[in-house]
Amino acid sequence: PTRAPRTEAYAVRVEDGERAIAHYERLSVADQIFLGMEDHDAHMHVTGCLVFDAAPVRGAEGGVDFERLCDYVESRLHLVPRYRQRIATIPVENHPIWVDDARFNLRYHVRHTHLPRPGDERQLKRLIGRITSQPLDRGKPLWELWLVDGLEGDRFAVIANVHHCMADGLGSLELLAALLTPRPTKSFEPPPAWIPRPAPERAQQPVGRTLAVLHEVDQRVEQRHGRRVAARQAGARDVDQPLSPRREP
């Protein structure tokens, strides 16, 4: 059986005197490998493309109703909370962790583009190649959805781009499974309120707390050494020196 990723939570102070719960989750070993294998020449994201009939989601201007589709994605995003989290690292060891993205912007991840009408399969494949060749921004949640308008036959395409550390194997279908339903959906409920949990500060992470203690000890040693130097310069006897020529320390 696969071991579940370790999660940590710490209480942190907020301005109004209450305490919020800071949260992070460590990446599994396999996910760390996928993240570490990525470089400029080898991008570790998984890409899929689906083609749909455009008539049910056509807007007033004749194209796909992008805003309505964005609202629908937002209404389902709470089912896949990982898609609102970004990569961070713990001090010293630099191990990657998942934290909630306090600046999450759905319009950054769901994008709208057009093929020259009528767009054919060859043009769609070229667009997929250009999108796949670009690395995902590690400062944000590692996924994108591209809504591609203008496909021949009154159709549109959805290109899903998800990093391998977020979705391994069947997990890459997690977002699409949350969005797609067996029957057409004409209406949907508004999304539940989402409040990002604060990421732990440096002093709250396990390694960070250890470093804070070591730093405090180091400061005390420096202060004691400074007092000794000042005492010697003032002509006072050092505590580590013998009290008299006849008495050894």
Side-chain angles (χ1 to χ4, degrees):
T2 303
R3 183 178 179 180
R6 180 179 175 181
T7 57
E8 300 283 353
Y10 298 97
V12 295
R13 297 184 182 277
V14 292
E15 294 181 357
D16 58 2
E18 297 180 357
R19 300 176 74 85
I21 299 299
H23 176 273
Y24 75 86
E25 182 178 336
R26 297 186 182 186
L27 272 72
S28 67
V29 174
D31 292 341
Q32 290 187 45
I33 292 175
F34 288 130
L35 197 65
M37 288 174 60
E38 187 172 46
D39 57 27
H40 178 73
D41 298 319
H43 301 153
M44 297 302 296
H45 47 248
V46 183
T47 305
C49 180
L50 296 88
V51 178
F52 299 93
D53 180 12
V57 291
R58 184 176 291 112
E61 298 180 358
V64 170
D65 190 343
F66 175 69
E67 293 300 324
R68 183 164 179 261
L69 288 175
C70 276
D71 291 341
Y72 177 69
V73 173
E74 187 174 15
S75 72
R76 308 289 289 178
L77 207 56
H78 65 281
L79 300 175
V80 281
R82 177 74 77 227
Y83 283 69
R84 282 192 173 111
Q85 293 181 323
R86 61 176 178 84
I87 293 289
T89 56
I90 61 175
V92 182
E93 296 177 337
N94 291 324
H95 287 172
I97 57 176
W98 293 111
V99 297
D100 289 353
D101 185 9
R103 299 182 178 180
F104 179 79
N105 181 2
L106 182 65
R107 296 311 191 270
Y108 175 86
H109 297 275
V110 182
R111 305 181 179 187
H112 191 196
T113 188
H114 295 260
L115 293 176
R117 297 179 184 273
D120 57 22
E121 185 176 327
R122 178 180 59 88
Q123 292 171 321
L124 178 60
K125 288 180 178 179
R126 288 185 176 181
L127 176 62
I128 295 172
R130 289 198 298 270
I131 292 174
T132 307
S133 66
Q134 301 297 319
L136 295 170
D137 185 353
R138 290 200 178 186
K140 301 179 183 298
L142 298 174
W143 66 278
E144 295 174 347
L145 277 184
W146 290 78
L147 306 181
V148 185
D149 214 341
L151 197 60
E152 62 184 356
D154 195 22
R155 299 176 299 166
F156 75 100
V158 175
I159 302 173
N161 212 11
V162 184
H163 200 283
H164 221 315
C165 72
M166 288 184 60
D168 183 16
L170 294 177
S172 60
L173 303 176
E174 189 176 21
L175 178 60
L176 294 178
L179 296 177
L180 303 180
T181 58
R183 298 178 180 178
T185 301
K186 296 183 179 180
S187 60
F188 48 88
E189 297 294 328
W194 178 73
I195 301 176
R197 295 163 295 187
E201 299 176 358
R202 184 183 181 89
Q204 294 169 323
Q205 298 178 4
V207 176
R209 293 200 303 272
T210 302
L211 290 177
V213 172
L214 292 177
H215 179 67
E216 182 179 355
V217 171
D218 185 60
Q219 284 185 326
R220 291 181 180 180
V221 171
E222 289 184 357
Q223 292 173 358
R224 182 179 179 184
H225 177 71
R227 290 195 298 268
R228 287 184 176 182
V229 172
R232 288 176 182 176
Q233 293 176 350
R237 184 179 299 275
D238 195 298
V239 294
D240 292 336
Q241 297 299 320
L243 299 177
S244 69
R246 299 180 180 179
R247 184 174 179 181
E248 297 296 334

